Amino acid sequence: MERSVVAAKPVIKVAALCGSLRKASFNRGLLRSAIEICRESINGMQIEYVDIEPLPFINTDLEVNGTYPPVVEAFRQKILEADSILFASPEYNYSVTPPLKNAIDWASRPPNVWADKPAAIISTGGGLGGGRAQYHLRQIGVYVDLHFINKPEFMLRAFEPPKKFDSDGNLIDPEAKEKLKQVLLSLQAFTLRLKQ
C-alpha cells in the first residue's frame, strides 16, 4: 500500500524593519500587529522584527578589508537569510526616515544583500498616511534590486476616526488589521511565485 506524500508548504521568512526608532511609534505598532496576524492566521510565514537602531551612520571608513562592523554584519546576515522584507516606513519631510535610509545603505554595500528579494511597505501617519515616503522607498528599491508588491497598498491615516491605535501604539482598528492581513497574504503569494 503506497502512502501519498503531501509536500509541506515552505515557510517564508520575513525580515521586518521599522523606520521609526520611537518605542510607541504607530509604524512599529503596525509591525507588532503584522507579527501577531501572521502567527494567528497565516500558515507558512514567519515575521522577525530586525532592529535598525544599533547601526552606526554609514561610513566607508568603517569597512576594513571587505568586512563591516559586527553589528552591521549581523544586520546584513538577517537580511540575507530572509526570503522577503516588510518595511514600516513613516514619512519624514516627504521622504523615508534617516535611520531607514541608513539601514538600506548598509545592506546595499557589496555584496548587496537586498538583491532580488520581494518586499512590501506599510505606513501610517497624518496626511496621506505615509504615501510619499512609500514612493521614495520604491525608487530606492529600484536601485537596490528589491521587488515590491503593488497591491494592496497600505497607507493608514492614523488620526482620522475611528481611533486606530491605543496609547502604547498598538493597532486596534479591525478594518486596518484586515487590510494589513491582505498585504501579508499578497507578500506571501508573491514570494512563493518568485521562488518558483
Side-chain angles (χ1 to χ4, degrees):
M1 183 179 199
E2 291 184 15
R3 287 185 186 173
S4 61
V5 178
V6 177
K9 193 176 188 179
V11 175
I12 301 299
K13 291 168 56 177
V14 182
L17 282 68
C18 183
S20 174
L21 304 183
R22 199 169 58 84
K23 300 302 179 209
S25 156
F26 290 166
N27 283 277
R28 193 176 288 223
L30 290 180
L31 289 183
R32 285 194 300 273
S33 189
I35 291 168
E36 182 182 321
I37 290 167
C38 195
R39 191 180 302 127
E40 292 178 356
S41 59
I42 301 178
N43 292 324
M45 189 158 78
Q46 296 173 347
I47 301 175
E48 180 184 359
Y49 177 74
V50 180
D51 192 4
I52 63 174
E53 187 170 4
L55 296 173
F57 285 128
I58 190 161
N59 179 350
T60 54
D61 288 345
L62 299 176
E63 300 176 22
V64 181
N65 298 324
T67 64
Y68 302 96
V71 67
V72 174
E73 290 281 10
F75 170 71
R76 287 171 54 83
Q77 190 62 34
K78 289 280 188 189
I79 301 304
L80 184 64
E81 292 171 355
D83 297 303
S84 54
I85 312 296
L86 178 63
F87 293 98
S89 180
E91 182 177 315
Y92 284 15
N93 298 322
Y94 283 22
S95 190
V96 297
T97 67
L100 184 55
K101 182 62 166 60
N102 187 57
I104 291 169
D105 290 345
W106 269 124
S108 73
R109 297 294 297 158
N112 172 21
V113 294
W114 300 115
D116 217 27
K117 291 190 185 292
I121 313 169
I122 54 178
S123 63
T124 186
L128 299 176
R132 286 172 291 233
Q134 287 204 21
Y135 294 134
H136 272 198
L137 184 49
R138 286 176 180 275
Q139 288 177 309
I140 296 165
V142 170
Y143 186 76
V144 299
D145 199 22
L146 283 166
H147 307 297
F148 287 105
I149 62 169
N150 291 321
K151 300 290 181 185
E153 294 180 311
F154 188 100
M155 302 167 195
L156 181 65
R157 295 181 177 180
F159 307 107
E160 292 183 357
K163 190 174 180 182
K164 307 294 192 299
F165 296 90
D166 66 16
S167 58
D168 295 320
N170 297 308
L171 184 64
I172 58 173
D173 181 59
E175 186 178 338
K177 286 186 177 186
E178 180 56 33
K179 288 179 180 176
L180 181 53
K181 181 179 177 180
Q182 295 309 310
V183 170
L184 298 175
L185 289 170
S186 179
L187 178 60
Q188 181 185 38
F190 186 49
T191 304
L192 290 171
R193 194 159 78 241
L194 288 186
K195 277 179 164 289
Q196 291 171 356

